[in-house]
Amino acid sequence: MTIQWFPGHMAKARRQVQEKLKLIDVVVELADARIPNSSRNPMIDEIVSTKPRLMLLNKADLADDRKTNEWIQHFENKGIKTLAIDAQSGTNLKQIILSCQELVHEKWERMRAKGLNPRAIRVLIIGIPNVGKSTLINKLAKRNIAKTGDRPGVTTAQQWIKVGKELELLDTPGILWPKFEDELVGLRLATTGAIKDTIINLQDVAVFALRFLTDNYPDALKKRYDLQEIPEDIVELFDAIGKKRGCLMGGGLIDYDKTSELILRELRSGKLGKLTFETPSDWNNE
Ligand code: G4P
């Protein structure tokens, strides 16, 4: 992630989102389906409390389907309409439009009762960096309008992007910060690639990922790295993977940075299968 979030930046980002909220009917919040809670802004409920909200668990193509369903149930139980999507390939886009229509149905009916003709539903897409906001806007707009990348502080005139006759999207998404202060959250964000590896030591992230895989997805780990058994000792596990993949330094020593990079790159691109790094019950226990 390119932004360093200081308290001043956070206040400014929040103000910018609040300004945009005035213009819109529905907030579409994006979270990462692999870490649905860690990838949310800690103050999101408070910030968007006045608007109908749709929750999208994005990158569902990379997440564990069973756990994605648990998360959908979890958010729905809290009264938040939730869908799993894959913005990159564009699954469930029609469903997003239908859900937004459902969310404004009563308000639109009241307008009709007063003899007013309801307009297109105005939508703001919101979420932490790298969660897929620009990808989704581009997919919905069917052309490359939204710039990929994050530039808080850049103010431009608001533009609306038409999505069929039903929706109008604000062309710039709302960008909010994740919960940095929690170490476990930071490790999950780094594991999935939401925050750049420079913030947290690469090897620490890989150790966290390998321990998580050993405990939760041992078969995927064994299969990918052709391991008969998973060594209990974390250094031995690194050695086994590094050796198998030729991540070596001079003298045949294992290059732990290279090994860490390889593991995280493969995990993030789905080579270890569909993985989810937290469940609703983890959050109840943590
Ligand atoms: P943002 O606007 O919220 O900051 O996120 P953006 O759309 O730029 O997406 C961040 C990365 O996530 C992009 O990869 C994008 O292709 C990927 N992505 C978005 N939606 C999905 C999805 O549903 N499934 C998968 N598998 N990937 C998705 P990138 O440009 O390669 O960036 P990076 O991976 O190098 O960070």
Side-chain angles (χ1 to χ4, degrees):
M1 186 167 53
T2 49
I3 322 163
Q4 293 284 341
W5 292 97
F6 299 114
H9 289 143
M10 293 186 182
K12 190 165 182 183
R14 182 178 179 152
R15 223 167 32 242
Q16 285 174 339
V17 166
Q18 277 164 336
E19 280 300 309
K20 290 176 179 173
L21 285 180
K22 290 182 195 158
L23 308 171
I24 58 112
D25 303 305
V26 174
V27 173
V28 171
E29 182 191 350
L30 249 73
D32 186 320
R34 296 166 296 172
I35 47 168
N37 228 2
S38 296
S39 59
R40 301 181 78 203
N41 174 273
M43 295 162 90
I44 189 83
D45 288 334
E46 189 193 318
I47 295 172
V48 304
S49 65
T50 56
K51 295 287 172 180
R53 187 176 359 157
L54 173 63
M55 172 66 123
L56 300 180
L57 301 180
N58 190 35
K59 310 196 187 185
D61 55 311
L62 297 174
D64 182 328
D65 293 321
R66 193 176 51 81
K67 291 182 184 168
T68 299
N69 286 333
E70 274 180 46
W71 278 106
I72 291 175
Q73 203 53 55
H74 167 82
F75 289 116
E76 296 261 340
N77 288 346
K78 288 168 82 179
I80 304 174
K81 171 87 192 147
T82 306
L83 299 172
I85 66 155
D86 164 3
Q88 213 167 41
S89 70
T91 52
N92 253 351
L93 294 190
K94 185 78 194 143
Q95 202 55 41
I96 296 175
I97 299 172
L98 291 174
S99 300
C100 287
Q101 285 174 319
E102 235 172 76
L103 286 167
V104 298
H105 182 71
E106 278 179 28
K107 189 174 166 190
W108 262 222
E109 283 304 305
R110 282 200 301 274
M111 282 170 79
R112 280 195 194 95
K114 287 185 195 159
L116 298 169
N117 235 347
R119 49 177 169 69
I121 304 163
R122 292 186 183 148
V123 172
L124 171 67
I125 292 181
I126 195 170
I128 67 165
N130 285 323
V131 76
K133 298 179 295 300
S134 306
T135 308
L136 178 62
I137 291 174
N138 287 337
K139 263 290 183 264
L140 284 169
K142 295 200 184 77
R143 57 206 155 109
N144 276 356
I145 285 182
K147 282 194 202 99
T148 311
D150 316 298
R151 298 214 239 132
V154 178
T155 47
T156 49
Q158 297 297 345
Q159 287 197 357
W160 297 93
I161 299 168
K162 284 198 182 303
V163 181
K165 286 196 193 101
E166 301 94 344
L167 294 194
E168 278 178 8
L169 276 185
L170 259 188
D171 70 336
T172 48
I175 304 169
L176 289 167
W177 61 97
K179 310 176 196 52
F180 292 119
E181 54 296 336
D182 182 325
E183 194 197 353
L184 194 51
V185 168
L187 285 166
R188 286 173 180 151
L189 287 164
T191 299
T192 53
I195 57 178
K196 281 265 178 283
D197 301 328
T198 46
I199 295 178
I200 305 179
N201 177 283
L202 190 72
Q203 288 182 25
D204 290 346
V205 181
V207 166
F208 169 78
L210 284 180
R211 290 215 165 106
F212 181 85
L213 291 171
T214 302
D215 292 343
N216 295 277
Y217 296 100
D219 293 340
L221 188 58
K222 283 189 204 163
K223 190 167 161 223
R224 181 73 200 164
Y225 299 110
D226 195 17
L227 306 167
Q228 293 299 320
E229 288 304 323
I230 302 174
E232 259 176 54
D233 183 82
I234 194 76
V235 179
E236 282 179 30
L237 178 54
F238 264 94
D239 287 346
I241 296 173
K243 207 181 281 171
K244 282 245 151 73
R245 292 310 189 83
C247 301
L248 304 173
M249 300 191 293
L253 294 172
I254 302 295
D255 184 332
Y256 292 112
D257 271 342
K258 220 169 166 183
T259 310
S260 300
E261 251 175 58
L262 173 114
I263 294 162
L264 292 173
R265 192 175 59 243
E266 296 197 341
L267 175 154
R268 289 169 186 168
S269 62
K271 297 227 163 59
L272 280 109
K274 298 178 85 169
L275 309 171
T276 294
F277 295 89
E278 61 189 16
T279 60
S281 55
D282 291 338
W283 273 86
N284 293 334
N285 300 333
E286 277 164 16

